[in-house]
Amino acid sequence: MFHSVDVLSGRILYSKEAQAWPDFERQLAALRRAQQAFAARPVIERAALLHDLADKLAQARSRLAEMVCEEVGRCLRECEAELDKSVALIRYYARLAPQLLAHKTIATQASLSQVRFEPIGVVLAVMPWNYPVWQVLRFAVPALCAGNACLVKPAPSVARVTAALFELVGEHLPFQAAWLDHDDTLRAIEHTDAMAFTGSTATGRRLAAHAGQHLKKSVLELGGSNAFIVMPDADLAAAAKEACYSRFRDAGQSCNAAKRIIVAEAVADEFMPLFLAECAKLQMGNPMDAATTLAPLHREDLRLRVHAQVQDALAHGAKALCGGELPEGSGWFYPATVLDKVTPACRVYHEEVFGPVAVLLRARDEAHAVELANDNPFGLGASIYSADAAQAWHYAEQLQTGAVFINRHTSSDLRLPFGGVKASGYGRELSEFGLYEFVNVKSYWQK
């Protein structure tokens, strides 16, 4: 069952039954036919259809942002930013795809040799709830540019906004929702040509293993526990402000947020009051209200999971400098929580905390800060704050992550590849590298 719930009232907003497997088989057969016709069109025509989708999405911005706000719980301005970035994504790829997908002639002893980028076929995406428009389009738009068809199995709790998104897509693109239950999702991997997944590492392992068993290409964007490193020479006030923003935006429910604040011991006592002062400015409340800066969590079970991680840390000697208690009242709120004196005995040292909890770690020096950053299963992104750019780059090269930001919090940029290493997954989205993930890089040789 797919259903959307208002995060404040608990009211069911939308419900939809999972489709039966024979219905999916018919949908897939029709989509394969549509994909062949779509792939035969020049890339400039495919791009024009995507430009049309961007226009429709821009017109529906306010309505969809409010839906995301109600269903996910993020602040309305954060949801509006998601829609704006999604429109920019479509226009970015629609503009560059003809250039990036152009045939590349390579000099060999042949009279003509080329590399061409051809579609794989039908790509299945299993998508999360936290960014229900952006995540879907981040996967689908480059795959569509290349001539693929895309099927999206949405998270059950964002069904309403998913349905609204695909109403905008219409019938001109081979891009549809697949309302599959969990067991049929595994069968669907077998019957499609490739898979993209964004979500937890545990689920990613299961889906990737199944895809691998059936030799299906997969791209995984999994969890993250990004290190936010504050070196002794950093601008501490700026770092404190950015650390607070990165950790607590979207109620802390972002894989790419700063989650482990690693501070050099020499400046820790000066940095922490600055950081706590920024945290104290956060206001919990209705995410539709412009004054709210800390939104509720998406579901009660997610809030209880975060609280269990905090309780475990306190039981193992950590200290809550703020927050750490379940608030009363409606809505699945959790206060901004900062944990100091965290050790490897605490779950939060190793696990991703998908909520508004910051973990503080003290480093003896710069080398120890890098060591602490790497002492984690995840490898999505990291930030380094330092006045010495050359030294920051030196330490950035030692970080086991898919991205490093210097004097800025981690984020994604349409022009740069996004993805991780270790338990954060493999493959890349965004930029030209994301475009090439779901293509057959095919060589041609003519005597």
Side-chain angles (χ1 to χ4, degrees):
M1 170 68 77
F2 293 80
H3 65 272
S4 301
V5 173
D6 186 307
V7 296
L8 286 184
S9 68
R11 175 173 57 94
I12 294 179
L13 302 170
Y14 181 91
S15 293
K16 186 179 182 66
E17 293 286 345
Q19 66 189 118
W21 180 254
D23 292 337
F24 174 76
E25 288 184 309
R26 287 188 287 272
Q27 177 188 14
L28 180 58
L31 193 62
R32 285 198 180 282
R33 294 190 293 271
Q35 185 270 327
Q36 292 172 2
F38 182 68
R41 303 180 73 163
V43 64
I44 195 167
E45 292 185 13
R46 300 197 295 264
L49 292 174
L50 287 166
H51 275 301
D52 291 343
L53 176 59
D55 292 341
K56 293 178 184 177
L57 195 63
Q59 292 168 6
R61 171 188 185 265
S62 296
R63 177 172 62 91
L64 286 177
E66 289 181 358
M67 285 185 176
V68 176
C69 182
E70 289 178 337
E71 293 176 48
V72 176
R74 292 171 25 235
C75 292
L76 180 60
R77 64 181 169 279
E78 296 169 339
C79 302
E80 291 169 341
E82 175 184 353
L83 269 295
D84 292 340
K85 193 171 183 179
S86 298
V87 171
L89 167 79
I90 300 172
R91 291 178 174 157
Y92 167 83
Y93 275 115
R95 184 177 68 254
L96 291 181
Q99 170 190 337
L100 296 176
L101 292 169
H103 306 331
K104 297 188 184 301
T105 300
I106 309 294
T108 69
Q109 65 267 44
S111 63
L112 176 64
S113 50
Q114 283 187 337
V115 172
R116 299 188 179 185
F117 305 101
E118 300 180 357
I120 291 177
V122 178
V123 186
L124 175 70
V126 182
M127 293 284 101
W129 51 262
N130 54 338
Y131 301 100
V133 176
W134 164 252
Q135 300 277 22
V136 168
L137 294 174
R138 190 177 74 184
F139 139 76
V141 170
L144 289 165
C145 284
N148 294 293
C150 297
L151 274 170
V152 175
K153 192 272 185 190
S157 57
V158 288
R160 185 182 62 155
V161 71
T162 301
L165 173 62
F166 281 97
E167 285 179 10
L168 293 177
V169 171
E171 299 179 355
H172 297 297
L173 291 167
F175 179 27
Q176 299 174 6
W179 303 96
L180 295 163
D181 65 23
H182 293 311
D183 291 338
D184 282 344
T185 298
L186 292 176
R187 294 177 69 186
I189 290 172
E190 302 169 25
H191 288 78
T192 50
D193 302 303
M195 181 201 72
F197 172 73
T198 299
S200 73
T201 301
T203 302
R205 284 193 176 102
R206 183 184 179 203
L207 296 182
H210 197 74
Q213 182 181 356
H214 295 276
L215 297 179
K216 307 293 183 177
K217 170 68 183 291
S218 61
V219 170
L220 305 180
E221 199 272 281
L222 307 179
S225 189
N226 290 5
F228 186 102
I229 301 173
V230 182
M231 295 301 195
D233 61 350
D235 181 333
L236 298 183
K241 186 173 183 177
E242 292 229 335
C244 180
Y245 170 78
S246 182
R247 171 64 285 205
F248 298 111
R249 68 183 174 92
D250 303 317
Q253 298 175 123
S254 170
C255 60
N256 202 30
K259 294 178 181 152
R260 294 175 296 135
I261 316 300
I262 301 173
V263 187
E265 188 70 58
V267 293
D269 289 342
E270 185 179 353
F271 171 83
M272 290 209 287
L274 296 171
F275 180 56
L276 291 173
E278 294 294 332
C279 297
K281 298 175 185 177
L282 297 169
Q283 295 186 42
M284 292 191 294
N286 187 329
M288 291 285 188
D289 189 335
T292 297
T293 51
L294 185 60
L297 273 69
H298 181 53
R299 296 194 311 263
E300 173 68 358
D301 63 304
L302 300 175
R303 180 171 75 156
L304 293 176
R305 182 184 304 170
V306 168
H307 189 55
Q309 290 173 305
V310 171
Q311 293 299 108
D312 170 83
L314 297 177
H316 286 90
K319 180 181 179 182
L321 302 183
C322 63
E325 297 182 357
L326 284 171
E328 297 180 355
S330 61
W332 300 307
F333 290 95
Y334 200 79
T337 299
V338 178
L339 297 176
D340 193 12
K341 301 187 184 303
V342 171
T343 70
C346 305
R347 287 172 53 193
V348 296
Y349 185 90
H350 306 283
E351 297 178 359
E352 178 179 24
V353 184
F354 214 64
V357 177
V359 173
L360 289 176
L361 301 173
R362 298 167 185 252
R364 293 187 300 272
D365 51 30
E366 293 90 340
H368 187 222
V370 172
E371 181 182 332
L372 288 172
N374 288 336
D375 188 23
N376 191 268
F378 298 99
L380 187 56
S383 296
I384 297 178
Y385 283 74
S386 172
D388 188 333
Q391 278 290 87
W393 278 83
H394 169 72
Y395 289 115
E397 292 174 346
Q398 300 174 37
L399 291 170
Q400 300 163 1
T401 61
V404 182
F405 283 66
I406 296 173
N407 292 326
R408 191 186 188 280
H409 61 84
T410 48
S411 61
S412 61
D413 187 305
L414 306 178
R415 299 158 293 187
L416 295 173
F418 179 76
V421 296
K422 303 196 294 186
S424 291
Y426 50 75
R428 293 295 180 266
E429 295 180 309
L430 302 179
S431 79
E432 62 188 282
F433 299 98
L435 181 64
Y436 298 142
E437 285 287 359
F438 291 118
V439 297
N440 175 15
V441 183
K442 189 172 177 181
S443 296
Y444 288 82
W445 197 97
Q446 176 184 316
K447 185 174 180 181

